[in-house]
């Protein structure tokens, strides 16, 4: 009997068992508890990155630490809002999630949560998020919170994702909203500084996500999702990643003369050089016909880059 190698278990699947099926070894992950399955619907790792961009924006808006209750309400509201958008995304995408190796472990794909349960859960989280933001902070922040959820679920997931290779370019705007929400929660208004921070996340999103899509290109192709790495030549994808990376770094440095000092400029500039080096390394690997490893390196590097730039915003504010 020929055995087909199986992929290593995902984090959290340490107790996975193996069973024989049709001459192949199939790794069967243990079912999660109901609570754990609902938590998984919210995609906690994505929420962490969103909150990393929210708090520094609040610190910059306040010129230091905002009122503690504003921070708590915004963090809780932001967590619920992101969890709502992610759960509703899982509900809408449950058909293609089951086809993709990267998303096959999600609760709806594994039938750990019913579609109706996921839908109700996502809506309730969204209502709670908007209510908390409106009552505790202000209704501008609440309105932006509602807009972020609606944009991610309707514009990105339902309209753009399966129709255009530019899906993540425009749909990624939803992930930029936390900086506007955090700023408005503190000040009750908007200004140019949070708009620049919005731009940093906006231009950062394509190279970040396209790097991941390079690694999982076959997944997206199987599911019929026209991510750029699926429909365009690798050389074009790498070139666009480099261009967007340069624009990301340039926009990040606009914040230096606008609202920050030399500490931010130095830290953001150094992080930008690292991001550009990763993008060019991916482009060089593409020319050699081997870019999967460089793509995942850039994906992880881009996570660190965004977190570092926003931490630099807070550090600079406290130093000044």
């Amino acid at each position: 009997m020929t055995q087909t190698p199986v992929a290593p278990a995902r984090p959290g699947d340490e107790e996975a068992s193996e069973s024989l099926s049709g001459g192949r070894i199939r790794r069967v992950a243990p079912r999660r508890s109901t609570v754990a399955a609902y938590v998984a619907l919210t995609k906690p790792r994505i929420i962490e990155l969103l909150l990393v961009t929210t708090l520094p924006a609040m610190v910059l808006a306040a010129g230091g630490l905002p009122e503690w209750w504003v921070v708590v309400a915004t963090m809780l509201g932001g967590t619920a809002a992101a969890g709502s958008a992610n759960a509703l995304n899982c509900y809408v995408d449950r058909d293609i999630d089951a086809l993709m190796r990267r998303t096959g472990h999600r609760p709806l794909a594994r039938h750990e949560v019913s579609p109706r349960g996921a839908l109700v859960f996502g809506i309730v989280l969204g209502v709670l998020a908007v209510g908390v933001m409106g009552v505790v902070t202000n209704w501008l922040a609440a309105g932006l919170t509602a807009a972020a959820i609606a944009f991610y679920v309707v514009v990105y997931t339902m309209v753009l994702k399966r129709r255009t290779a530019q899906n993540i370019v425009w749909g990624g705007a939803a992930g930029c909203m936390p900086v506007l929400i955090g700023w408005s929660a503190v000040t009750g208004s908007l200004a140019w500084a949070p708009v620049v921070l919005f731009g940093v996340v906006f231009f950062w999103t394509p190279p970040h996500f396209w790097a991941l899509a390079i690694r999982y290109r076959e997944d997206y192709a199987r599911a019929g999702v026209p991510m750029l790495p699926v429909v365009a030549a690798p050389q074009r994808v790498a070139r666009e990643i480099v261009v967007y990376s340069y624009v990301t770094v340039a926009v990040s440095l606009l914040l230096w003369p606008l609202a920050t000092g030399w500490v931010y400029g130095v830290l953001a500039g150094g992080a930008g050089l690292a991001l550009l080096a990763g993008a060019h390394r991916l482009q060089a690997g593409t020319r050699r016909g081997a870019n999967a490893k460089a793509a995942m390196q850039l994906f992880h590097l881009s996570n660190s880059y965004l977190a570092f730039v926003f931490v630099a915003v807070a550090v600079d504010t406290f130093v000044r």
Side-chain angles (χ1 to χ4, degrees), residues 15-309:
E15 303 301 323
S17 60
E18 293 179 348
S19 63
L20 291 175
S21 176
R24 295 183 178 181
I25 293 180
R26 181 170 59 91
R27 186 172 293 277
V28 181
R31 292 179 65 84
R32 288 167 285 212
S33 68
T34 300
V35 172
Y38 274 98
V39 170
L41 275 177
T42 67
K43 306 178 187 176
R45 289 185 179 180
I46 295 178
I47 293 177
E48 291 173 6
L49 192 61
L50 293 176
L51 295 183
V52 164
T53 66
T54 305
L55 185 56
M58 298 178 71
V59 169
L60 182 61
L65 281 178
E67 297 286 347
W68 68 268
W69 52 270
V70 175
V71 174
V72 171
T74 305
M75 293 295 103
L76 290 177
T79 298
S84 167
N86 290 332
L88 294 173
N89 168 267
C90 286
Y91 169 78
V92 175
D93 279 351
R94 62 190 185 279
D95 57 334
I96 60 176
D97 280 349
L99 300 175
M100 298 171 62
R101 176 184 177 187
R102 186 176 72 86
T103 57
H105 66 284
R106 289 179 178 171
L108 283 170
R110 292 173 57 184
H111 307 289
E112 296 173 327
V113 174
S114 70
R116 182 176 183 276
L119 178 62
V120 172
F121 178 63
I123 292 173
V124 169
L125 277 182
V127 171
L128 288 175
V130 174
V132 166
M133 295 300 295
V135 172
V136 182
T137 62
N138 57 71
W139 289 104
L140 173 59
L144 291 170
T145 299
I149 297 171
F151 193 93
Y152 184 71
V153 176
V154 178
V155 177
Y156 170 64
T157 305
M158 298 177 68
V159 177
L160 296 175
K161 185 172 182 178
R162 307 190 195 199
R163 288 179 171 85
T164 172
Q166 296 299 305
N167 46 22
I168 201 63
V169 175
W170 302 109
C176 312
M177 295 296 285
V179 297
L180 302 183
I181 295 168
W183 184 283
S184 62
V186 172
T187 66
S189 63
L190 293 175
W192 282 112
V195 171
V196 171
L197 291 174
F198 180 101
V200 172
V201 184
F202 181 83
F203 290 110
W204 164 89
T205 301
H208 167 74
F209 208 92
W210 285 336
L212 182 67
I214 288 172
R215 170 63 178 82
Y216 292 100
R217 180 186 178 282
E218 292 182 1
D219 263 8
Y220 286 110
R222 186 183 308 115
V225 179
M227 289 293 175
L228 189 65
V230 174
V231 301
Q235 292 78 8
R236 177 192 165 190
V237 178
R239 184 170 61 252
E240 293 206 17
I241 284 175
V242 169
V243 171
Y244 272 99
S245 297
Y246 271 98
V247 176
T248 299
V249 175
V251 173
S252 75
L253 295 178
L254 287 178
L255 196 65
W256 185 357
L258 183 65
T260 59
W262 67 269
V263 172
Y264 170 81
V266 171
L267 294 178
L273 290 176
L275 181 68
L276 295 177
H280 280 290
R281 186 162 53 245
L282 171 61
Q283 189 175 42
T286 301
R287 294 193 187 102
R288 296 192 300 269
N291 62 354
K293 181 178 179 181
M296 288 309 294
Q297 288 175 340
L298 178 61
F299 173 75
H300 293 300
L301 174 62
S302 65
N303 277 330
S304 300
Y305 166 81
L306 192 69
F308 189 87
V309 166

